[in-house]
Amino acid sequence: MATHGNGSSDFFAKMPEIKFTKLFINGQFVDSVSGKTFETIDPRNGEVIARVAEGDKEDVDLAVKAARHAFDHGPWPRLSGSERGKILMEFANLIEEHAEELAALDTVDAGKLFAGGKATDIPHVIDIIRYYAGAADKVHGEVLKMSGKFQAYTLREPIGVVGLIIPWNFPCTLLSLKTSPALAAGCTMVVKPAEQTPLSALYYAHLAKLAGVPDGVLNVITGYGETAGAAISSHMDIDKLRFTGSTEVGRKVMQAAAASNLKPVSLELGGKSPLLIFDDADVNTASSLALSGVLYNKGEICVASSRVYVQEGIYDEFVKQLVEKAKSWVVGDPFDPKVCQGPQVDKKQFEKILYYIEQGKREGATLLTGGKAFSNKGLYIEPTIFVDVKDDMLIAQDEIFGPVFSLMKFKTIDEAIKRANNTRYGLAAGVVTKDFNVANTVSRSIRAGTIWINCYFGFDVGCPFGGYKMSGFGRDYGLEALYEYFHIKSVVTPIYNSPWL
Amino acid sequence: MAARRISLFLSRSFTSASSPLLSKGVNPIRVRGISRYSTATALEDPITPPVKVNHTQLLIDGKFVDSASGKTFPTLDPRTGDAIAHVAEGDAEDINRAVTAARKAFDEGPWPKLTAYERSKVLLRFADLIEKHNDEIAALETWDNGKPYEQAANVEVPMVVRLMRYYAGWADKIHGLTAPADGPYHVQTLHEPIGVAGQIIPWNFPLLMFAWKVGPALACGNTIVLKTAEQTPLSAIYAAKLLHEAGLPEGVINVVSGFGPTAGTALASHMEVDKLAFTGSTDTGKIVLELAAKSNLKPVTLELGGKSPFIICEDADVDKAVELAHFALFFNQGQCCCAGSRTYVHEKVYDEFLEKATALAKKRSVGDPFKSGIQQGPQIDTEQFEKILRYIRSGVDSGATLETGGERLGAKGYYIQPTVFSNVKDDMLIAKEEIFGPVQSILKYKNLDEVIRRSNATRYGLAAGVFTHNIDTANTLSRALRVGTVWVNCFDVFDAAIPFGGYKMSGQGREKGIYSLSNYLQVKAVVTPLNNPAWL
């Protein structure tokens, strides 16, 4: 075992060149009004990567002003969808050219796997942008069947200036997921990336400008939630707000929206997603799915399968295989291609996860493997598996957002459904079974926005994603996400002498 | 954008609509002060086209091949009637080979088995290649068809690019539905590619019609056997080659040049073709539909002829109406299925309209389509040319007033003078039949009900133009005219997103837009019982 993690060494410590550290407002990189900066930290070693301009209310005001002007007077919403689509296609091509740099920025900033970023995350970003580029000229309203003598139709009009607040766990993916449908729709926007991961967003803005996105359409304010984020949420001149992050902050965002100009909000928040594994499942497949369902991206994923329910008939075999597989789960420098898990994003998260692990032990769950941090340097945590977890334990109720596996046993399908739904969250769920009826019943019974049957993380750009209950509302991905960025306007006029109605 | 390009083309006064994006790489069209019907010299000495004909064989299973019979036919330059090249002449055996290749490419893949995203990337690369070879393709099109080069280069080929990008964007957005059943059942619909599509395209917009058909068929994951018109085989072969360069697997598109009664018949009646799409005349459309019915009942999309009314209301801005009505009829030498070939003018503005329309027709520059500023080239071939002249004689014989034109132009090629008839009556042949040439028929009307009735008194129903400022008139006419497209205060505005097709004997089905996808998809309902569902 190396200095940190069980993977090998500092050998892979690449450092991409940091080109952009200022706010991006109206097509220019500028210092913050206050002149303040903040440190962005490499979670592998706690070292400062760069100092980044710290945006606050005044900066948000400037960005909104630019976005407002670009929307009210600029070319962007006045271009045809096909013209916007062409610019987005060019944008996707530029991202493709710079995929490695973007992946590296997210690795140093967020501790994400570099190989995964290059092979999966950034190509997915490109796919997302191309998808919405192709959707830009396919925004249809409807011509309505009126009950009276009227001709009427609906227009989907771009909603205006949108505020987008992006989390740190998938910086590039979630940035493109929020911005590309907004761009396709003809909106202008002010984006705040997480303070932990500001770098790729600035790079992304730079590429958008190169692709031909006009000045003022995409503005990026780096900074903190309490200051810049709050300013966006409560801004009187922002027409729509979309937030991805914790349920706790989501509530504040929505309150700020309500207290200011009642801007519509969509929220993609936390989860405590159940994965239900039935007796007829192939244990080998199921244990692999469950392990990566919890540990993928260090557990820093809102849809982590953080409650794994296994039916009693295969429970023992499942545990055996799970422990075996956890052993080969390599933790270490995310630039190392053999590594499965990098460091947690920051000290605060790191400590929170360790707190939950302690809670699990105290409440009487059985610790099967892991249960502590790896070393003093870097924020690496051992993949941790708890069994004999009870539904009322804190580790089974709260979102831990770390590599902590909670395993529970169940007897019947009804019981599994009931326990799976016994949560304030409703983001996603998994089912592993060969039985068609079980799959269908569980799919309709679980109150969550996505059900994965015999797969997990089955994300696709065409497949809408979002939460029930306190996991939020509104949808990312698919045409549903595009429709988040439109007003519906009905246009009605009387008709005379129509041969049909 | 393509829609704007058309507008840009049709009128100098609309050029302000151009956007910075639009002008990128495209020369704006300049209409110079060319005098009435360009000189005989220009017609005698045709400009040498700036392109070589490199491909004249059939394209089957990814390879260029001779026809099974070894036969070829000449494709003619309509400026002179001389042969441009000799092209492989496909017949039933070649269609069989092409269908076999398409069948294999569909049944065994990889095309329908690729992800939609992969398919969309092939179409996007194809669009880029067309864009790159814009001028070459436009030159081939003009040479083979006789249409103005500037029209081909600045309007039509860019529209092909636009269509391909549009359908590339659809590939990954073809959604089925889940449906609520009256009982404990889970229902979903799968939108599956239909299989091997037979496509027969006409000669008036060879490559555009190629794009209308091929774009949606490929986006949906089908394979294709396409027969071009014998008058204009060249551009489709060129484009199909570029499609392969873009990464289209072998056998996915097969292009067979040849004649309707041989190759066309074989395709329409083939038992292994799952779907047929035809654009052409109503007479041929009937034959095609019959063959489909007699063989394997393949579903058919037909885009056929028209006799589209262009209605100028009393409140219209006459100058603009004149310009638009002129464009609606004379565009592409009058060889448009949706040509505004019955110009109905309200009696209050009739005299002024007639005078100005005649003057505009007289100013139309006719000549070698490769020459800059030329608005009208030759008609496609001797058959069409003779047919149009016969209709003109019939107009005169039946008592319509010939205001201008009426003759051929020059001694060589198929040029016809822009021709305007006034005092046309609804029962005259020139008001009833599709002339497909530069012959404008102007008719007078008194009130709205009358013009609705007269406009609809035709077996066709493809399109209509309405020129009015009055919103009630516009709404009434839009709903009352039994046609597939109504252009209000515009005409020939085509865009990838705007569906197009006919009522009555102008055809069935719609092409372009989201509507075209359904031509190339099967809908499969998948039903399964639900055990103890949480909700229904």
Side-chain angles (χ1 to χ4, degrees):
Chain A
M1 198 174 291
T3 33
H4 40 271
N6 57 359
S8 63
S9 89
D10 321 271
F11 186 78
F12 296 94
K14 294 179 193 169
M15 179 62 76
E17 190 193 342
I18 308 301
K19 293 175 182 158
F20 307 104
T21 57
K22 295 183 181 183
L23 313 178
F24 188 74
I25 298 176
N26 207 19
Q28 308 298 323
F29 284 102
V30 295
D31 290 320
S32 61
V33 172
S34 68
K36 281 206 281 190
T37 60
F38 64 99
E39 294 172 344
T40 185
I41 308 282
D42 185 341
R44 297 176 301 166
N45 47 33
E47 285 166 13
V48 177
I49 305 164
R51 296 195 67 90
V52 177
E54 184 182 335
D56 202 335
K57 188 178 178 309
E58 291 76 18
D59 306 287
V60 168
D61 284 344
L62 288 174
V64 172
K65 207 175 149 193
R68 187 84 258 162
H69 187 268
F71 186 78
D72 291 347
H73 305 290
W76 192 245
R78 289 159 193 86
L79 289 179
S80 69
S82 133
E83 288 165 327
R84 281 195 298 275
K86 272 168 91 171
I87 291 171
L88 288 178
M89 284 292 179
E90 178 59 26
F91 186 25
N93 293 342
L94 284 170
I95 300 228
E96 202 161 40
E97 270 174 46
H98 298 274
E100 191 149 328
E101 267 171 287
L102 280 163
L105 285 177
D106 278 355
T107 298
V108 290
D109 227 5
K112 290 174 69 70
L113 301 181
F114 177 66
K118 228 173 71 171
T120 310
D121 289 32
I122 305 298
H124 185 52
V125 166
I126 296 160
D127 184 359
I128 290 168
I129 298 173
R130 289 198 177 125
Y131 178 87
Y132 289 108
D137 57 5
K138 296 171 186 69
V139 178
H140 295 105
E142 291 184 316
V143 176
L144 307 170
K145 184 61 96 180
M146 305 287 275
S147 54
K149 290 183 178 176
F150 293 99
Q151 158 77 11
Y153 56 86
T154 56
L155 295 174
R156 281 189 199 270
E157 291 190 349
I159 203 163
V161 176
V162 294
L164 303 172
I165 302 178
I166 314 290
W168 45 261
N169 57 339
F170 290 89
C172 259
T173 310
L174 292 171
L175 183 70
S176 65
L177 200 52
K178 295 273 195 261
T179 53
S180 31
L183 288 168
C187 292
T188 63
M189 61 213 73
V190 177
V191 185
K192 191 195 91 62
E195 63 270 22
Q196 293 88 344
T197 54
L199 298 176
S200 56
L202 295 171
Y203 199 98
Y204 184 89
H206 157 71
L207 294 180
K209 178 167 176 154
L210 282 186
V213 174
D215 291 351
V217 172
L218 174 67
N219 304 278
V220 179
I221 301 292
T222 46
Y224 292 91
E226 305 80 53
T227 51
I232 289 173
S233 306
S234 58
H235 206 288
M236 293 299 286
D237 217 11
I238 287 181
D239 302 309
K240 163 92 187 181
L241 196 60
R242 305 201 72 207
F243 170 82
T244 294
S246 71
T247 295
E248 178 196 350
V249 179
R251 191 193 296 280
K252 288 184 189 164
V253 163
M254 192 169 163
Q255 279 176 330
S260 56
N261 63 344
L262 288 168
K263 58 180 81 60
V265 178
S266 54
L267 302 172
E268 200 269 272
L269 309 174
K272 194 73 189 174
S273 299
L275 171 58
L276 276 47
I277 299 166
F278 287 86
D279 276 346
D280 64 347
D282 175 67
V283 178
N284 181 26
T285 311
S287 55
S288 295
L289 269 185
L291 194 71
S292 66
V294 178
L295 299 182
Y296 177 68
N297 205 51
K298 327 158 244 172
E300 294 170 347
I301 182 164
C302 49
V303 291
S305 59
S306 49
R307 293 184 293 147
V308 178
Y309 290 94
V310 178
Q311 204 162 11
E312 54 186 0
I314 54 167
Y315 185 86
D316 293 339
E317 175 62 20
F318 183 90
V319 170
K320 201 176 121 201
Q321 292 202 18
L322 189 65
V323 173
E324 229 16 68
K325 282 174 182 165
K327 280 182 194 158
S328 56
W329 187 264
V330 184
V331 182
D333 191 311
F335 278 109
D336 180 344
K338 289 192 298 292
V339 158
C340 311
Q341 179 187 321
Q344 307 305 129
V345 71
D346 65 10
K347 191 88 181 157
K348 190 177 151 201
Q349 290 293 322
F350 175 77
E351 278 165 3
K352 190 179 105 180
I353 296 161
L354 294 176
Y355 161 79
Y356 275 116
I357 292 174
E358 287 313 306
Q359 281 296 320
K361 292 176 189 165
R362 188 171 314 141
E363 287 184 305
T366 308
L367 184 65
L368 221 56
T369 62
K372 59 182 189 304
F374 263 107
S375 71
N376 296 330
K377 191 187 173 198
L379 307 172
Y380 297 86
I381 292 179
E382 292 178 353
T384 297
I385 299 175
F386 281 112
V387 296
D388 304 327
V389 179
K390 302 282 170 268
D391 290 355
D392 60 354
M393 291 179 181
L394 212 55
I395 56 168
Q397 291 194 343
D398 285 5
E399 184 174 44
I400 301 175
F401 232 60
V404 182
F405 198 114
S406 293
L407 187 61
M408 288 155 281
K409 193 190 287 185
F410 75 92
K411 284 191 166 70
T412 68
I413 178 171
D414 287 346
E415 177 205 341
I417 289 168
K418 189 164 161 255
R419 291 172 67 189
N421 277 332
N422 186 19
T423 168
R424 63 182 187 274
Y425 293 112
L427 199 52
V431 192
V432 185
T433 177
K434 295 192 181 89
D435 187 323
F436 209 77
N437 288 326
V438 170
N440 274 336
T441 301
V442 172
S443 298
R444 290 198 173 218
S445 300
I446 292 194
R447 292 196 285 279
T450 301
I451 310 288
W452 287 302
I453 302 172
N454 297 330
C455 60
Y456 208 80
F457 302 133
F459 285 110
D460 187 89
V461 60
C463 184
F465 171 77
Y468 280 39
K469 298 194 272 184
M470 288 174 71
S471 290
F473 49 86
R475 290 295 177 265
D476 285 309
Y477 283 117
L479 296 177
E480 301 293 336
L482 185 65
Y483 298 152
E484 297 265 340
Y485 296 99
F486 293 106
H487 276 305
I488 300 252
K489 177 184 279 179
S490 298
V491 182
V492 185
T493 183
I495 40 168
Y496 306 98
N497 298 323
S498 175
W500 53 272
L501 281 175
Chain B
M1 177 169 58
R4 279 200 233 164
R5 278 209 178 102
I6 278 267
S7 309
L8 196 152
F9 179 80
L10 77 96
S11 161
R12 278 148 281 171
S13 61
F14 290 175
T15 47
S16 59
S18 121
S19 81
L21 277 163
L22 217 155
S23 54
K24 193 177 162 192
V26 177
N27 298 320
I29 291 165
R30 294 174 302 275
V31 180
R32 294 200 195 118
I34 290 175
S35 59
R36 176 189 171 183
Y37 313 152
S38 83
T39 61
T41 333
L43 302 182
E44 297 300 335
D45 302 316
I47 294 167
T48 307
V51 65
K52 281 203 176 70
V53 177
N54 292 325
H55 305 291
T56 56
Q57 289 172 294
L58 313 177
L59 182 51
I60 295 175
D61 208 10
K63 293 166 212 57
F64 282 113
V65 293
D66 290 325
S67 62
S69 66
K71 282 207 280 188
T72 63
F73 65 98
T75 183
L76 306 181
D77 181 343
R79 300 176 301 167
T80 58
D82 298 339
I84 300 168
H86 286 80
V87 177
E89 184 182 335
D91 203 333
E93 177 52 26
D94 306 285
I95 292 288
N96 280 338
R97 291 176 186 183
V99 172
T100 303
R103 187 82 261 162
K104 180 163 176 276
F106 185 78
D107 293 344
E108 294 171 24
W111 185 243
K113 298 181 169 73
L114 290 181
T115 66
Y117 181 48
E118 290 301 324
R119 279 198 296 275
S120 82
K121 286 200 283 191
V122 171
L123 294 180
L124 288 174
R125 283 195 294 269
F126 176 53
D128 292 345
L129 286 170
I130 294 269
E131 200 163 49
K132 190 175 147 198
H133 297 283
N134 185 84
D135 294 356
E136 228 171 312
I137 294 167
L140 267 186
E141 198 81 328
T142 290
W143 198 2
D144 220 7
N145 172 281
K147 63 177 65 221
Y149 172 75
E150 286 165 345
Q151 174 189 322
N154 300 351
V155 182
E156 294 183 21
V157 182
M159 274 173 95
V160 170
V161 174
R162 155 81 178 132
L163 270 150
M164 287 302 162
R165 292 198 174 127
Y166 178 80
Y167 282 108
W170 269 124
D172 54 6
K173 296 168 190 74
I174 296 167
H175 299 304
L177 296 169
T178 53
D182 185 16
Y185 294 95
H186 172 69
V187 182
Q188 47 184 322
T189 58
L190 301 180
H191 288 191
E192 297 183 351
I194 197 164
V196 175
Q199 305 182 325
I200 302 176
I201 59 172
W203 47 261
N204 59 338
F205 293 95
L207 200 60
L208 256 183
M209 294 302 105
F210 174 95
W212 285 26
K213 301 241 179 318
V214 167
L218 292 183
C220 295
N222 298 282
T223 63
I224 296 168
V225 177
L226 178 131
K227 189 196 93 64
T228 48
E230 63 272 20
Q231 294 87 344
T232 53
L234 299 177
S235 57
I237 312 177
Y238 190 106
K241 181 177 166 267
L242 292 184
L243 252 172
H244 286 88
E245 259 179 67
L248 192 77
E250 292 172 352
V252 176
I253 187 167
N254 304 276
V255 179
V256 178
S257 317
F259 293 85
T262 51
T265 298
L267 187 56
S269 54
H270 206 288
M271 294 299 287
E272 287 288 328
V273 170
D274 301 308
K275 157 79 196 173
L276 198 64
F278 170 81
T279 296
S281 72
T282 295
D283 288 347
T284 309
K286 282 182 175 175
I287 298 171
V288 163
L289 191 59
E290 266 186 57
L291 292 171
K294 278 187 195 157
S295 55
N296 62 345
L297 290 169
K298 56 180 85 57
V300 180
T301 307
L302 298 172
E303 202 269 271
L304 308 176
K307 193 71 188 175
S308 299
F310 187 101
I311 301 168
I312 293 121
C313 299
E314 55 186 312
D315 66 338
D317 174 337
V318 173
D319 289 336
K320 277 192 182 161
V322 164
E323 212 168 327
L324 214 57
H326 175 88
F327 170 73
L329 185 281
F330 289 102
F331 178 63
N332 207 47
Q333 295 72 245
Q335 300 168 150
C336 297
C337 48
C338 57
S341 52
R342 290 184 293 152
T343 311
Y344 285 101
V345 186
H346 192 271
E347 57 180 0
K348 276 192 188 156
V349 290
Y350 182 86
D351 292 339
E352 184 189 355
F353 181 93
L354 180 59
E355 185 193 322
K356 289 179 171 169
T358 306
L360 191 58
K362 284 180 175 166
K363 272 200 298 195
R364 188 166 183 82
S365 59
V366 186
D368 190 322
F370 279 105
K371 194 169 162 188
S372 173
I374 284 294
Q375 293 170 294
Q376 181 177 320
Q379 307 307 125
I380 185 76
D381 64 8
T382 185
E383 190 190 329
Q384 291 290 322
F385 175 77
E386 297 295 347
K387 192 179 93 178
I388 295 161
L389 291 175
R390 274 201 304 279
Y391 276 118
I392 291 174
R393 280 194 294 277
S394 140
V396 173
D397 292 348
S398 60
T401 309
L402 180 66
E403 298 285 345
T404 181
E407 305 282 340
R408 80 176 295 176
L409 196 62
K412 207 166 143 189
Y414 312 125
Y415 295 91
I416 292 180
Q417 293 174 347
T419 297
V420 176
F421 278 110
S422 65
N423 292 317
V424 179
K425 303 285 173 255
D426 290 356
D427 59 355
M428 291 178 185
L429 219 52
I430 55 168
K432 281 162 64 168
E433 296 190 358
E434 185 174 44
I435 301 175
F436 231 60
V439 182
Q440 186 173 31
S441 295
I442 301 179
L443 306 94
K444 192 190 283 185
Y445 78 93
K446 283 190 168 65
N447 65 56
L448 212 55
D449 287 345
E450 174 205 338
V451 79
I452 290 170
R453 187 177 43 76
R454 291 171 65 191
S455 294
N456 282 336
T458 167
R459 61 190 178 129
Y460 294 113
L462 197 52
V466 170
F467 221 73
T468 179
H469 291 304
N470 186 310
I471 187 173
D472 294 332
T473 307
N475 277 331
T476 300
L477 284 172
S478 298
R479 289 185 169 232
L481 296 170
R482 291 200 284 275
V483 298
T485 302
V486 178
W487 284 296
V488 182
N489 297 329
C490 58
F491 203 87
D492 277 353
V493 175
F494 285 101
D495 181 75
I498 305 174
F500 185 80
Y503 281 41
K504 297 193 269 184
M505 289 173 72
S506 288
Q508 43 186 265
R510 293 292 178 271
E511 293 187 309
K512 297 195 293 142
I514 187 172
Y515 297 89
S516 203
L517 298 173
S518 62
N519 295 332
Y520 297 100
L521 295 168
Q522 279 284 16
V523 176
K524 178 185 281 176
V526 181
V527 186
T528 181
L530 286 169
N531 259 11
N532 194 21
W535 54 273
L536 279 177

